[in-house]
Amino acid sequence: MKFLNRDVEKLLCECLKRSDDFPAILAEKLERASVSEDNHLRSCIKVLCDEGYFSKLGWGDNVPYTGRIEQKGYEYFSHKDVYIRAKLRQDPYFKLLDEESEKALSELSSSPETHLMVTGKDDQGRVLEHLSKCGYIQFGPQGLQYTFDGTFTGVVSVTQKGKNYFSDKENRIEEIIVLGDEAFVVNQIEKQYNVSGNTITGSPFQVGDNNIQNIDFTDYESKFAELKDEVASLKLTDTQIKVLEDLISTADNACKEKNEGVVKHVLKEIWDFAKQAGSNLLAAYLAIQFGLGT
């Protein structure tokens, strides 16, 4: 699916809210806009027309006065939600929750208490059991205690994975929007790496399925320099960035010394790091620039 940028999405959303007279929305915005805002707004309108979201836009006095929102425009946000939800379900690094489970996790995460006493009906208990199975919460030693009248009691605490659930979800959605179908390709990699031969030095290596990669030292030196710049743009912790920078420096030095074995070994470690960090953007970059996982 092709996504619109945020400004174009925002404009489309505003027009959908007043679909019966949406050209008036555009006219009002243009009449209030500064010169720079006017140019940007007209660019957004052009995208919506060129991409088939708007049609038959009639202009008078340099502002729209007639037009139609096409079915593609009405369906854009629902199709986007379905696409992203499907991609999230395919993500091997992230377990997507249903709406009821997300609500329960949000309520638990918002509590300042580390250990929470929970009570409720058995169907609510099943939701908590699902959260526990996914690793987002953990129960006390006694687990959930069910009674004959269909209620339960127990003690739960939110794990670090649970505390990060919603921020991780937003990060993965952003990756899906940026990568599109490439996110799907990256997520389909089953084997993270496999070094062929008895030793690393002097042997080709395979990352993903059926990918034999040989070293071009001159090319790799420039790619490692670009990779260092790319790492700075990723949403990683300072510690993770430091680990990556150290690995990249090691690989860069190995390229200068034409030490093929070290380069291969470090690339394997960087790929494994991308898996552990759950960074599809980093994995995609490695796939594109170094051919890993293809």
Side-chain angles (χ1 to χ4, degrees):
M1 178 176 178
K2 185 176 180 180
F3 295 105
L4 300 171
N5 69 42
R6 290 183 180 179
D7 289 343
V8 178
E9 277 193 358
K10 182 180 178 181
L11 182 60
L12 176 59
C13 183
E14 291 181 62
C15 291
L16 289 172
K17 290 177 181 177
R18 280 180 53 181
S19 57
D20 54 339
D21 66 340
F22 84 93
I25 290 279
L26 302 178
E28 291 168 9
K29 284 181 167 292
L30 288 168
E31 288 166 354
R32 296 195 307 264
S34 65
V35 174
S36 60
E37 290 171 342
D38 181 277
N39 291 334
H40 181 63
L41 183 55
R42 291 180 190 276
S43 296
C44 292
I45 294 172
K46 185 177 186 301
V47 169
L48 290 170
C49 292
D50 291 348
E51 297 295 330
Y53 296 97
F54 293 166
S55 68
K56 299 183 178 180
L57 213 58
W59 295 73
D61 296 328
N62 209 26
V63 297
Y65 67 91
T66 61
R68 183 171 72 190
I69 300 177
E70 293 296 328
Q71 192 63 30
K72 183 179 180 180
Y74 286 109
E75 294 175 345
Y76 173 78
F77 290 102
S78 61
H79 284 184
K80 178 183 177 181
D81 289 344
V82 170
Y83 179 89
I84 289 176
R85 193 161 58 247
K87 287 292 185 183
L88 286 173
R89 289 198 178 104
Q90 295 164 354
D91 191 331
Y93 309 121
F94 182 78
K95 178 65 176 177
L96 181 66
L97 296 173
D98 58 80
E99 188 174 337
E100 188 177 15
S101 298
E102 282 194 350
K103 181 181 178 182
L105 180 59
S106 178
E107 291 173 352
L108 292 172
S109 300
S110 63
S111 173
E113 300 296 330
T114 303
H115 301 286
L116 305 168
M117 177 67 72
V118 291
T119 62
K121 296 182 178 179
D122 56 1
D123 57 340
Q124 295 170 306
R126 302 292 178 250
V127 172
L128 295 179
E129 288 175 354
H130 178 61
L131 289 175
S132 175
K133 184 177 180 181
C134 293
Y136 293 126
I137 65 171
Q138 59 185 20
F139 298 128
Q142 302 301 318
L144 295 185
Q145 302 295 308
Y146 289 91
T147 61
F148 289 111
D149 63 355
T151 61
F152 73 90
T153 60
V155 176
V156 303
S157 58
V158 181
T159 63
Q160 192 61 40
K161 181 180 178 182
K163 293 175 182 177
N164 293 338
Y165 173 82
F166 293 102
S167 60
D168 285 348
K169 181 181 177 182
E170 288 303 313
N171 289 339
R172 277 156 172 74
I173 289 174
E174 185 175 345
E175 291 172 359
I176 289 168
I177 290 173
V178 171
L179 296 173
D181 286 336
E182 286 188 20
F184 174 81
V185 173
V186 172
N187 285 343
Q188 289 305 301
I189 298 169
E190 294 180 359
K191 298 178 183 177
Q192 294 306 316
Y193 57 80
N194 177 42
V195 180
S196 59
N198 294 325
T199 62
I200 294 175
T201 303
S203 68
F205 70 92
Q206 177 178 322
V207 181
D209 294 326
N210 304 318
N211 177 46
I212 302 299
Q213 187 74 19
N214 292 304
I215 300 296
D216 180 339
F217 292 107
T218 302
D219 183 42
Y220 272 36
E221 277 191 61
S222 63
K223 286 182 177 180
F224 280 126
E226 293 172 2
L227 177 58
K228 187 172 289 187
D229 291 336
E230 185 69 18
V231 166
S233 69
L234 299 176
K235 291 185 176 179
L236 299 173
T237 66
D238 291 342
T239 301
Q240 289 174 321
I241 290 174
K242 180 66 167 58
V243 170
L244 276 175
E245 287 180 342
D246 288 345
L247 287 171
I248 294 168
S249 294
T250 301
D252 188 45
N253 291 333
C255 278
K256 290 181 173 63
E257 296 171 359
K258 296 189 175 353
N259 190 329
E260 185 173 338
V262 172
V263 173
K264 292 175 181 178
H265 182 74
V266 173
L267 273 173
K268 184 187 77 168
E269 289 192 26
I270 294 174
W271 181 263
D272 194 39
F273 180 92
K275 173 192 172 185
Q276 296 297 328
S279 177
N280 288 345
L281 284 174
L282 177 57
Y285 186 88
L286 293 169
I288 293 167
Q289 294 299 321
F290 295 94
L292 308 186
T294 57

